[in-house]
Amino acid sequence: MILHLVDGTYELFRYFLSPAAAHDRSAPPELRGVRGVVGSILGMLEEGATHLGVATDHVIESFRNGLWPGYKTGEGMDPRLTAQFEPLEGALGALGVVVWPMVEFEADDALAAAAAMGAADARVEQVVVCTPDKDLAQCVRGDRVVQLDRRRREVRDEAGVVKKFGVPPASIPDWLALVGDVADGFPGLPGWGAASAAVVLARYRHLEGIPERAAEWDVPVRGAARLAATLVEQRERARLFRTLATLRVDAPIGVDVDGLRWTGPRADFAAWASRLGTPALHERAARLVATRAVAR
């Protein structure tokens, strides 16, 4: 089986900001993003997905906000967007899809935990993590756990992660600790950029492996002395940033691989489809259930 794990937060942002969604008058304005995501997930099922889970940030804040005061919050987000998270979770649940609405942890943590669960199950041929988010690159394992950017239709396996970031998946948290992540609200270390961090971590893998003295580095990096000094002076901050960037595979997801099998919509999905302005969504879901029953 192939396990599909979807970043529902990213998908909701994507459809909320979509010009096509903005010009679509069939769905209520306050649910246009939701309708887009639900239709997209149903499309994945129609294309053959059988085991699927969607993670959302039910609230934007998480345990990481207690570790770093500048960590991302919901401040400044369009209230029309934040108001659609709960309806999204309700509509997807009615579709019969497993949803992880995260509160203490983040959606990315749920995806990481589910990816680890899937990779540990010998019955799972491949885990496909559907998000372009660089944080999730740390979950990639060979071609068994891959990332899929559904908008660009790009698949990124372990070789693809190295090609894009210059480091293997296991070094992504260290790379983010040095470079920073503007979207998540932590700055990285002064002077360290994507290229310098990639060169150093490609050689030494993790923060602890980087020699304190630039003279001991056996890779050429411009401004190495300054970068080494900064890392020595701010090593604890770098470790904190790595903690922020490290996804928690122990996040509670409350389901095993078998629980992710889609068996059809609940009875209330018809009402949700009508509320979303697209009764055809329910008809499509019912038709798909019938088709799969015949195929069995």
Side-chain angles (χ1 to χ4, degrees):
M1 70 183 77
I2 296 178
L3 186 61
H4 289 86
L5 306 173
V6 181
D7 183 346
T9 296
Y10 167 77
E11 294 291 338
L12 185 58
F13 271 79
R14 179 160 77 100
Y15 281 99
F16 178 78
L17 297 172
S18 165
H23 288 92
D24 184 352
R25 304 303 180 192
S26 61
E30 68 276 11
L31 292 174
R32 283 181 188 147
V34 175
R35 203 276 290 277
V37 178
V38 172
S40 178
I41 296 299
L42 180 54
M44 291 179 66
L45 294 167
E46 290 171 326
E47 290 168 4
T50 59
H51 293 71
L52 189 148
V54 179
T56 64
D57 291 293
H58 188 70
V59 297
I60 301 301
E61 292 78 7
S62 69
F63 75 91
R64 292 178 176 87
N65 293 88
L67 300 176
W68 177 251
Y71 200 73
K72 66 181 178 183
T73 67
E75 185 178 355
M77 284 182 60
D78 191 324
R80 296 173 300 171
L81 171 60
T82 55
Q84 294 192 52
F85 277 92
E86 191 168 342
L88 173 64
E89 294 154 6
L92 288 175
L95 177 58
V97 172
V98 172
V99 182
W100 297 297
M102 305 307 287
V103 176
E104 179 185 356
F105 294 88
E106 297 180 47
D108 288 357
D109 295 311
L111 295 174
M117 174 186 69
D121 192 319
R123 299 171 301 164
V124 175
E125 177 184 346
Q126 188 177 58
V127 179
V128 182
V129 185
C130 303
T131 178
D133 192 335
K134 55 184 174 292
D135 296 6
L136 270 301
Q138 66 192 266
C139 299
V140 173
R141 298 290 181 271
D143 60 2
R144 179 166 172 73
V145 181
V146 300
Q147 267 188 287
L148 169 63
D149 183 336
R150 297 181 62 225
R151 185 171 68 86
R152 292 188 171 90
R153 298 184 179 275
E154 293 177 356
V155 176
R156 189 178 301 149
D157 59 9
E158 189 157 345
V161 171
V162 174
K163 181 178 180 180
K164 182 171 181 62
F165 300 105
V167 298
S171 297
I172 289 293
D174 302 82
W175 184 83
L176 288 169
L178 295 175
V179 174
D181 191 333
V182 174
D184 283 346
F186 60 92
L189 301 192
W192 283 88
S196 56
V199 170
V200 173
L201 289 171
R203 170 65 179 85
Y204 298 110
R205 297 304 191 200
H206 301 292
L207 299 176
E208 292 79 5
I210 304 174
E212 292 190 355
R213 298 176 61 250
E216 298 174 9
W217 292 6
D218 56 10
V219 289
V221 181
R222 180 177 296 179
R226 175 174 51 84
L227 295 177
T230 297
L231 181 55
V232 169
E233 293 166 2
Q234 301 191 30
R235 189 171 293 273
E236 289 307 311
R237 174 169 282 196
R239 287 173 174 157
L240 170 60
F241 292 160
R242 182 175 61 185
T243 297
L244 297 178
T246 300
L247 300 181
R248 293 281 297 273
V249 296
D250 61 338
I253 54 176
V255 68
D256 60 11
V257 169
D258 292 320
L260 294 178
R261 175 182 287 277
W262 185 76
T263 58
R266 299 191 316 233
D268 59 335
F269 186 61
W272 268 106
S274 179
R275 181 179 172 188
L276 295 174
T278 316
L281 288 173
H282 178 256
E283 297 165 11
R284 287 167 55 190
R287 187 162 53 246
L288 180 58
V289 171
T291 299
R292 291 190 178 184
V294 170
R296 285 200 294 270

